[in-house]
Amino acid sequence: MQKPALPANEQIRLSELRQLALLHTEPDPNYDTITRLAAAICEVPIALVSLIDADKQWFKAKIGWDLCDTARDISFCAHAILQPREITIIPDSRLDERFKGNPLLTSDYPVIFYAGVPLLSKTGNPIGTLCIIDHKPRNLSEAQISALKDLALQVENLFELRRSNLQLQEVEQLLTKKNEQLKKFAGTVSHDMKMPLANMIVTTDILRAKYAPKLDAQGIDYLSYLKQSSFSLSDYIDNLLSYYESEELQVKNLEKFDLHHLLEEIIDLLKISEDYIINLPESGIELNSSKSAVQQILLNLITNSLKYNDKETGIITINSVEDHAYYYIQISDNGKGIAADKLDSIFDLFSIASETDNKGKKGNGIGLSTVRNLVHSLGGIISVSSTEGEGATFDFTIQKVSA
């Protein structure tokens, strides 16, 4: 018996095999289907997808064969991969010097006929075979040989698909890790900046109170600008923290509350001027959900409707209905509206629909991303429709939870 030689590129070949992470994996119906077809087309009792490792050959798929692996030294497939561009056909292994004394010839299911097509990696290295076996001598027709080669190509396609999927999983894991690091960094930095900002605001007030008589008008303006900028940065940090907290939110504390009453509390909190008309739902509904999450959603959406309204009289209309599975809430206004090219990205982090609000302040693009996270945490979805210059309508749902 001749032991199969090692390919010249053995180490590279083994590396590519192991990168597929297929050895000793669970059966896969995609490979099993190919072995069934190979056996049926070639009219043989056995078909295998064999992977050649350093010391053993392992069978990823098999039909008519009980063994899970064999030693590489007695492997027919280990000989077949030495001619990676050709099909190896052995009509009668008893007449082949390479297999004299091979234990596979004298087993209960002797390997007499063998045909194996090398399975190549993307770079052309053979990592296994699609092979067929019979217990008696035979030959294959040209049509059967062609079909066997075609089936081997399909196995190679499965290899490439797996390789691509493994790469995608690796990238996804890396991105998840980087995202977690970024979130942790943003949260830490945001918390650490809160106190210095508060000190800046207090110090600005102290400077104004103590040194106002010694400052000219420009100096007073500088202090006002410093305080305003500190408040803007503080607001930005608050929004950023709210966003990351909303991503991690797991709704546990459920309570029953009246939507109409909650809306009245929000309106009182916002101290809305007489230039706005707020139309509340005609009939209230009782929600069983996270009151704090719903409050933040409504507060953000109503605040946006107020901030981005350019009409002499701003109108905000809120509607609500429910069915057996969801609460449906709609908030519409007659404000600036949202440009058509912004609608698809309006809920993305740092996406800004309008350069400035009605007081000339620039938004930070965090609020609506936070709203989306909160809605999702409540088992719902949110959407927006708008005509630029005429207003915008936000519709969101909240999944009902059994009391």
Side-chain angles (χ1 to χ4, degrees):
M1 184 187 78
Q2 295 179 12
K3 293 183 180 179
L6 297 179
N9 57 352
E10 176 68 1
Q11 293 307 312
I12 296 175
R13 188 193 72 78
L14 287 174
S15 175
E16 291 187 330
L17 169 63
R18 289 163 186 171
Q19 285 173 11
L20 286 175
L22 271 172
L23 294 169
H24 307 290
T25 54
E26 293 296 320
D28 185 326
N30 294 301
Y31 294 94
D32 294 340
T33 298
I34 292 174
T35 54
R36 285 198 300 272
L37 286 171
I41 292 171
C42 297
E43 300 177 310
V44 295
I46 299 169
L48 309 166
V49 172
S50 172
L51 302 176
I52 309 301
D53 200 3
D55 299 315
K56 290 187 175 184
Q57 68 170 345
W58 182 79
F59 306 114
K60 174 58 187 171
K62 55 187 180 178
I63 182 170
W65 189 260
D66 292 332
L67 299 176
C68 294
D69 58 59
T70 70
R72 181 172 176 173
D73 288 347
I74 65 172
S75 168
F76 282 56
C77 297
H79 287 278
I81 65 171
L82 298 177
Q83 297 177 305
R85 306 295 174 182
E86 301 177 16
I87 182 172
T88 295
I89 300 178
I90 304 171
D92 188 342
S93 61
R94 295 170 298 183
L95 305 178
D96 194 311
E97 289 296 327
R98 291 173 296 177
F99 304 105
K100 291 286 182 68
N102 189 310
L104 291 176
L105 273 67
T106 57
S107 66
D108 292 338
Y109 302 96
V111 180
I112 305 301
F113 167 81
Y114 173 90
V117 182
L119 301 171
L120 307 183
S121 68
K122 188 177 182 181
T123 59
N125 290 311
I127 57 179
T129 70
L130 171 64
C131 67
I132 54 172
I133 295 171
D134 204 343
H135 308 308
K136 59 186 179 181
R138 62 172 302 134
N139 278 298
L140 297 177
S141 68
E142 289 299 322
Q144 289 173 323
I145 292 173
S146 178
L148 195 59
K149 290 179 178 179
D150 288 342
L151 290 172
L153 285 176
Q154 296 308 310
V155 178
E156 292 175 357
N157 289 337
L158 290 175
F159 287 168
E160 181 59 22
L161 180 61
R162 179 174 177 83
R163 189 185 68 81
S164 298
N165 286 338
L166 290 173
Q167 289 179 340
L168 287 174
Q169 289 175 15
E170 186 176 345
V171 171
E172 183 181 8
Q173 290 171 358
L174 179 61
L175 289 175
T176 299
K177 182 179 179 180
K178 294 293 184 184
N179 188 47
E180 290 299 322
Q181 291 173 342
L182 180 60
K183 286 163 61 175
K184 184 177 180 180
F185 172 78
T188 300
V189 170
S190 298
H191 278 293
D192 290 348
M193 290 177 67
K194 291 288 288 181
M195 185 57 68
L197 275 173
N199 291 338
M200 288 173 62
I201 294 169
V202 172
T203 302
T204 303
D205 288 336
I206 293 173
L207 289 172
R208 182 192 294 272
K210 189 172 182 179
Y211 297 103
K214 299 180 181 181
L215 297 174
D216 57 15
Q218 190 175 37
I220 297 296
D221 287 343
Y222 284 151
L223 287 176
S224 297
Y225 177 74
L226 179 61
K227 184 175 181 179
Q228 181 182 348
S229 297
S230 298
F231 272 122
S232 296
L233 185 54
S234 180
D235 181 60
Y236 183 87
I237 290 172
D238 285 339
N239 286 330
L240 196 60
L241 287 172
S242 295
Y243 172 80
Y244 284 117
E245 288 169 358
S246 69
E247 275 202 324
E248 303 297 329
L249 180 65
Q250 294 182 345
V251 179
K252 295 180 180 179
N253 298 323
L254 305 178
E255 58 182 301
K256 291 185 178 181
F257 58 93
D258 185 89
L259 178 62
H260 208 287
H261 292 163
L262 180 61
L263 288 168
E264 289 177 343
E265 291 174 5
I266 292 172
I267 291 170
D268 289 340
L269 178 66
L270 293 174
K271 302 186 186 310
I272 299 173
S273 69
E274 295 179 357
D275 295 334
Y276 294 92
I277 298 173
I278 311 294
N279 296 316
L280 297 180
E282 292 184 3
S283 58
I285 58 175
E286 185 178 67
L287 281 71
N288 181 40
S289 188
S290 168
K291 184 176 180 179
S292 60
V294 176
Q295 182 180 40
Q296 190 170 351
I297 293 168
L298 294 171
L299 186 60
N300 279 337
L301 293 177
I302 294 172
T303 299
N304 275 356
S305 292
L306 296 171
K307 287 167 59 178
Y308 296 99
N309 199 305
D310 56 352
K311 304 303 187 294
E312 183 175 345
T313 300
I315 302 174
I316 301 174
T317 301
I318 304 167
N319 290 308
S320 63
V321 294
E322 63 178 311
D323 61 19
H324 69 285
Y326 290 92
Y327 306 106
Y328 301 84
I329 301 175
Q330 181 186 82
I331 299 177
S332 59
D333 61 56
N334 66 336
K336 293 182 178 181
I338 302 169
D341 61 347
K342 301 282 188 179
L343 286 174
D344 289 339
S345 62
I346 192 65
F347 295 106
D348 294 343
L349 186 60
F350 304 127
S351 176
I352 301 172
S354 180
E355 288 299 318
T356 58
D357 62 18
N358 51 19
K359 292 184 179 179
K361 294 183 178 181
K362 187 176 181 178
N364 50 44
I366 300 175
L368 287 178
S369 294
T370 302
V371 166
R372 179 189 58 187
N373 288 343
L374 290 168
V375 170
H376 288 174
S377 73
L378 298 176
I381 57 174
I382 185 167
S383 61
V384 60
S385 58
S386 177
T387 300
E388 193 170 9
E390 296 182 14
T393 298
F394 288 86
D395 291 275
F396 68 94
T397 60
I398 299 171
Q399 187 174 26
K400 286 189 171 181
V401 181
S402 300

